[in-house]
Amino acid sequence: MWNELYNQNNQPTMQNINDFIHSKLWKELCSFIEDTYVVNPKLEYSKCSMQKGWNIKYKKNSKSICTLYPMDGYFIALIVIGNKIQLDTELVIPTCSTYIQQLYSKTPASSYGKWLMIEVRKRDVLKDVLKLIEIKLSLQSK
């Protein structure tokens, strides 16, 4: 398990993360974010019981793009759909995979919006994550 391999006092390298996830989808997402939005990953340790351990955060102009959680053979992408972008996101959700549509509908809204914990195991889900990131950043910059 990830948080047993790398506890709070044992920070992984990006290579450790790449090796643990071992997925082309991981490399594709990171390259897309870094190249398109000219940002660097930041490793942080979370004590949150929901997903404890080291994660990778991407931010642009101090605004969150996404947080990525390494899993054995795949990863989870946390994308927060804030209230300001919720309507635009809901226009795109019907074009997404069934998995994303169901996840979106069953994720409760909070005062901050919807916190989507997306398991990225398939290319169609990665494409949906890219759509959500693009919506988020295009609307945040307005």
Side-chain angles (χ1 to χ4, degrees):
M1 195 167 196
W2 177 249
N3 60 354
E4 292 170 1
L5 282 173
Y6 298 99
N7 62 34
Q8 188 172 3
N9 300 319
N10 183 21
Q11 181 175 333
T13 65
M14 287 304 286
Q15 188 59 51
N16 295 141
I17 295 167
N18 291 339
D19 293 345
F20 184 78
I21 296 172
H22 194 67
S23 167
K24 290 179 184 177
L25 302 176
W26 167 258
K27 294 174 184 170
E28 205 173 309
L29 177 61
C30 292
S31 294
F32 173 83
I33 293 171
E34 292 167 25
D35 296 344
T36 305
Y37 301 108
V38 193
V39 296
N40 292 313
K42 183 179 178 187
L43 269 68
E44 289 188 7
Y45 187 84
S46 173
K47 294 180 181 178
C48 175
S49 61
M50 192 166 152
Q51 199 65 41
K52 185 177 180 177
W54 289 97
N55 60 58
I56 299 84
K57 291 189 185 294
Y58 283 101
K59 292 182 178 185
K60 177 105 177 147
N61 301 327
S62 74
K63 302 250 184 190
S64 173
I65 297 172
C66 64
T67 302
L68 306 175
Y69 300 92
M71 305 301 284
D72 191 5
Y74 69 103
F75 61 96
I76 294 173
L78 167 62
I79 300 180
V80 179
I81 305 299
N83 295 325
K84 291 181 181 178
I85 66 168
Q86 193 165 354
L87 290 175
D88 291 90
T89 301
E90 288 175 358
L91 294 174
V92 172
I93 290 296
T95 69
C96 293
S97 63
T98 302
Y99 168 70
I100 295 294
Q101 290 177 38
Q102 290 173 349
L103 179 65
Y104 189 84
S105 70
K106 75 176 184 181
T107 301
S110 72
S111 59
Y112 299 106
K114 289 189 176 223
W115 292 52
L116 301 178
M117 295 288 283
I118 304 168
E119 291 187 6
V120 182
R121 299 175 187 255
K122 297 180 181 177
R123 180 156 307 283
D124 63 336
V125 174
L126 175 64
K127 287 180 182 180
D128 294 340
V129 166
L130 296 175
K131 283 185 206 177
L132 295 173
I133 288 171
E134 288 172 347
I135 291 167
K136 185 177 178 94
L137 290 177
S138 68
L139 296 172
Q140 277 183 351
S141 63
K142 291 182 179 180

